Amino acid sequence: MVTSLSATEIDARSVYEREYCARGDMENRIKEQQLQLFADRTSCATMRANELRLWLSSVAYTLLVALRRLGLQHTDFAHAQPETIRLKLLKLGARVLVTVRKVWVSLAESYPYRRQFEQAYANLRRVLDRLASPPASSSVLVVASQ
């Protein structure tokens, strides 16, 4: 590795671990989005349409990363690639029944990732419940002045 930093400024190990490896990790995240979420498809006739495709791919990647971080913790998919999450958890057959008050999603009994799907749903419900209820420490004390 070649750098313009002198050895007195920073040692080689720190440069490698902090700068070089971080750059490689970022390139891997970009490659994930391009190859697994089709961000490299720019086959539309107009630049605006291709830009929209890239935006949608970026939003999809952000949502999958958030799902992995918040919903898939403590499951087999906690460190899974976006394509694995998409193919095994999201791209599935189910029967959806919408009533006035509820939406029922019925998965097949033979769905092999049912336990992980249910765990992800429970994790996301906990996150939503935490966001919906204010923390106890944020209560406001109102004192009447005389």
Side-chain angles (χ1 to χ4, degrees):
M1 183 169 74
V2 178
T3 181
S4 60
L5 298 172
S6 68
T8 58
E9 291 179 55
I10 191 167
D11 64 310
R13 183 182 197 98
S14 296
V15 170
Y16 176 76
E17 290 174 352
R18 280 193 312 189
E19 305 297 329
Y20 188 73
C21 290
R23 178 177 172 225
D25 189 52
M26 182 53 61
E27 288 178 2
N28 288 337
R29 302 296 77 80
I30 292 169
K31 191 185 307 181
E32 278 179 356
Q33 183 182 359
Q34 285 179 337
L35 299 178
Q36 297 174 10
L37 295 173
F38 312 107
D40 61 340
R41 283 198 57 189
T42 54
S43 56
C44 292
T46 64
M47 185 151 175
R48 191 166 293 232
N50 287 326
E51 180 183 14
L52 179 63
R53 273 184 177 228
L54 186 58
W55 275 103
L56 292 174
S57 174
S58 298
V59 169
Y61 183 77
T62 303
L63 288 173
L64 277 177
V65 168
L67 172 65
R68 182 175 54 199
R69 187 173 44 90
L70 299 171
L72 297 175
Q73 58 188 353
H74 310 299
T75 68
D76 297 339
F77 296 112
H79 301 288
Q81 296 283 318
E83 185 174 31
T84 303
I85 296 169
R86 186 176 65 84
L87 292 176
K88 293 186 177 180
L89 283 182
L90 302 179
K91 193 175 181 180
L92 54 99
R95 190 180 77 198
V96 179
L97 177 66
V98 180
T99 64
V100 175
R101 293 191 176 119
K102 292 187 179 183
V103 176
W104 298 88
V105 179
S106 301
L107 301 174
E109 286 293 326
S110 63
Y111 178 53
Y113 305 105
R114 184 183 197 100
R115 186 181 58 77
Q116 290 90 344
F117 189 91
E118 290 170 349
Q119 180 66 44
Y121 177 76
N123 289 345
L124 291 174
R125 288 296 306 226
R126 270 195 296 279
V127 169
L128 286 175
D129 290 343
R130 266 187 300 195
L131 291 174
S133 63
S137 63
S138 69
S139 60
V140 178
L141 177 63
V142 177
V143 180
S145 59
Q146 307 277 347

